[in-house]
């Protein structure tokens, strides 16, 4: 167990910035960006636009995926010697499909204070307005570019009950929706949240195939930035094991163990593993008699 106490000296602030509308920044974030010694920015040109809009002149230093390893060490040693650093990405919350993980782990290793300054993130913004269940969700980030890998990823998520959230580029949106249509039957209710907080903010909802049809008619929908949200798997209520056992007993009289287990799982809503174990026990009991 280790506790990192807040210090008045060197500190790393993780500062969330707008995902489109520059007004979506907190007063606390602005105060921090104004008063730190250094801003570590994913793309200094991009962050310049935000700083200029608020008259902030704090020096910047580039921290991105190509120099993360080296920069994390440099920034951590600056913080250790008393420098106040704010980490920002181009948009939204740093570390969420964005650079920052190496710096935060380095700072934690050195027991330096790391302070989050919360604000926008496209995934939360999209989920909150999507109308999909928000009590449980799984954020995957960017999907693989390769179609085979993408389909395999969807298949691996087939039984996940939480809402699935992905980042995807407009370029691959249509192919990804068609893969979704192939991977999940029956079709899942899907939402595309596009250009959040910006002028052309749009929510498209329907089955993946319905959304593809819409995009074909209105290709402008592939422009800009997108969050893809998919309803999670419906969970069958698991029946009590006694009922499952009765079903299994009948099936085991007629079928091999694998087939009996598979069918009993489908009928009862219990998992195949649980029922396989139960089937082994039943077979053992029968052979002991
Ligand atoms: N760190 C960011 C966050 O907290 O959301 C995400 C950065 S990631 C490099 C960029 C991706 O986030 C985009 O390709 C898009 O999928 C999603 N995104 C960012 N801004 C968005 C917006 N205004 N509307 C829809 N999606 C957005």
């Amino acid at each position: 167990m280790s506790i990192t106490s807040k210090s008045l000296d060197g500190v790393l602030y993780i500062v969330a910035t707008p995902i489109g509308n520059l007004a979506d920044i907190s007063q606390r974030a602005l105060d921090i960006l104004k008063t730190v010694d250094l801003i570590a920015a994913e793309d200094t040109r991009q962050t310049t636009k935000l700083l200029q809009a608020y008259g902030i002149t704090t020096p910047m230093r580039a921290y991105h995926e190509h120099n993360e390893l080296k920069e994390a060490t440099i920034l951590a040693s600056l913080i250790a010697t008393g420098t106040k650093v704010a980490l920002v990405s181009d948009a939204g919350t740093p570390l969420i499909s964005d650079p920052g993980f190496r710096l935060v782990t380095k700072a934690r290793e050195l027991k330096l204070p790391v302070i989050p300054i919360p604000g926008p993130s496209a995934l939360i913004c999209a989920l909150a307005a999507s109308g999909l269940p928000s009590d449980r969700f799984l954020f995957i980030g960017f999907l693989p570019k390769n179609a085979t890998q993408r389909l395999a990823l969807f298949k691996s998520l087939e039984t996940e009950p939480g809402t699935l959230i992905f980042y995807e580029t407009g370029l691959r949106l249509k192919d990804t929706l068609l893969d979704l249509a192939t991977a999940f039957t029956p079709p899942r209710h899907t939402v595309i949240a596009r250009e959040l907080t910006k002028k052309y903010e749009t929510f498209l909802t329907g089955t993946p195939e319905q959304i593809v049809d819409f995009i074909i008619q209105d290709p402008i929908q592939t422009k800009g930035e997108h969050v893809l949200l998919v309803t999670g798997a419906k969970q069958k209520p698991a029946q009590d094991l006694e009922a499952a056992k009765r079903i299994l007993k009948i099936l085991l009289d007629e079928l091999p163990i694998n087939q009996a287990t598979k069918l009993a799982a489908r009928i009862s809503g219990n998992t195949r593993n649980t029922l396989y174990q139960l089937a082994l026990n039943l077979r053992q009991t029968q052979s002991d008699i």
Side-chain angles (χ1 to χ4, degrees):
M1 153 112 193
S2 96
I3 296 174
T4 312
S5 61
K6 291 188 181 177
S7 134
L8 290 176
D9 301 313
V11 55
L12 172 62
Y13 294 103
I14 309 298
V15 182
T17 57
I19 56 166
N21 189 327
L22 287 188
D24 292 336
I25 186 156
S26 73
Q27 188 57 54
R28 186 167 172 233
L30 290 174
D31 291 344
I32 298 242
L33 292 176
K34 237 175 242 168
T35 55
V36 287
D37 303 303
L38 186 64
I39 298 173
E42 184 185 4
D43 179 345
T44 52
R45 284 163 309 176
Q46 190 64 26
T47 300
T48 298
K49 293 180 204 159
L50 175 72
L51 299 191
Q52 276 179 352
Y54 287 98
I56 298 171
T57 54
T58 308
M60 276 189 283
R61 191 180 168 101
Y63 174 91
H64 45 66
E65 60 174 331
H66 304 296
N67 70 2
E68 231 190 323
L69 201 58
K70 189 175 102 224
E71 276 298 308
T73 308
I74 296 171
L75 287 168
S77 58
L78 284 173
I79 297 164
T81 51
T83 308
K84 293 181 175 59
V85 175
L87 173 71
V88 297
S89 59
D90 287 356
T93 301
L95 278 87
I96 305 302
S97 295
D98 264 340
F101 178 68
R102 285 182 196 279
L103 177 56
V104 173
T105 46
K106 191 87 198 157
R108 288 277 172 215
E109 262 168 45
L110 299 176
K111 308 229 177 310
L112 301 169
V114 182
I115 301 179
I117 311 297
S121 189
L123 79 109
I124 298 297
C125 188
L127 177 65
S130 68
L132 299 188
S134 55
D135 54 337
R136 175 172 172 154
F137 61 89
L138 182 64
F139 172 62
I140 311 288
F142 282 105
L143 281 159
K145 291 181 191 153
N146 176 284
T148 313
Q149 288 171 8
R150 204 164 51 226
L151 204 53
L153 174 70
F154 287 152
K155 276 283 171 201
S156 74
L157 297 168
E158 205 173 4
T159 56
E160 166 58 45
T163 296
L164 305 171
I165 309 178
F166 309 94
Y167 285 161
E168 184 55 295
T169 66
L171 211 64
R172 285 190 291 273
L173 202 56
K174 203 172 112 233
D175 289 347
T176 294
L177 287 163
L178 290 172
D179 287 344
L180 262 182
T182 309
F184 298 147
T185 32
R188 304 265 184 99
H189 186 64
T190 298
V191 176
I192 303 286
R194 170 176 167 255
E195 291 288 88
L196 293 162
T197 78
K198 303 185 206 175
K199 187 174 174 191
Y200 296 108
E201 180 178 280
T202 321
F203 285 83
L204 298 181
T205 63
T207 65
E209 279 176 343
Q210 286 169 338
I211 300 178
V212 168
D213 287 346
F214 191 84
I215 288 176
I216 290 170
Q217 287 166 34
D218 184 13
I220 206 88
Q221 296 299 330
T222 58
K223 303 274 178 254
E225 300 190 280
H226 303 77
V227 182
L228 165 64
L229 305 101
V230 183
T231 313
K234 269 214 183 80
Q235 276 187 307
K236 286 190 198 156
Q239 286 186 12
D240 70 88
L241 274 185
E242 276 314 306
K245 208 168 164 178
R246 281 198 297 278
I247 296 166
L248 248 186
K249 262 188 190 159
I250 297 166
L251 293 172
L252 280 171
D253 285 343
E254 307 293 332
L255 298 168
I257 189 162
N258 275 336
Q259 223 177 327
T261 308
K262 196 172 154 188
L263 277 177
R266 278 174 56 192
I267 297 166
S268 73
N270 288 286
T271 67
R272 244 203 254 188
N273 276 349
T274 311
L275 293 184
Y276 190 76
Q277 201 50 51
L278 204 59
L280 290 178
N281 294 345
L282 281 171
R283 281 264 157 99
Q284 182 64 41
T285 322
Q286 277 167 352
S287 65
D288 289 348
I289 296 168

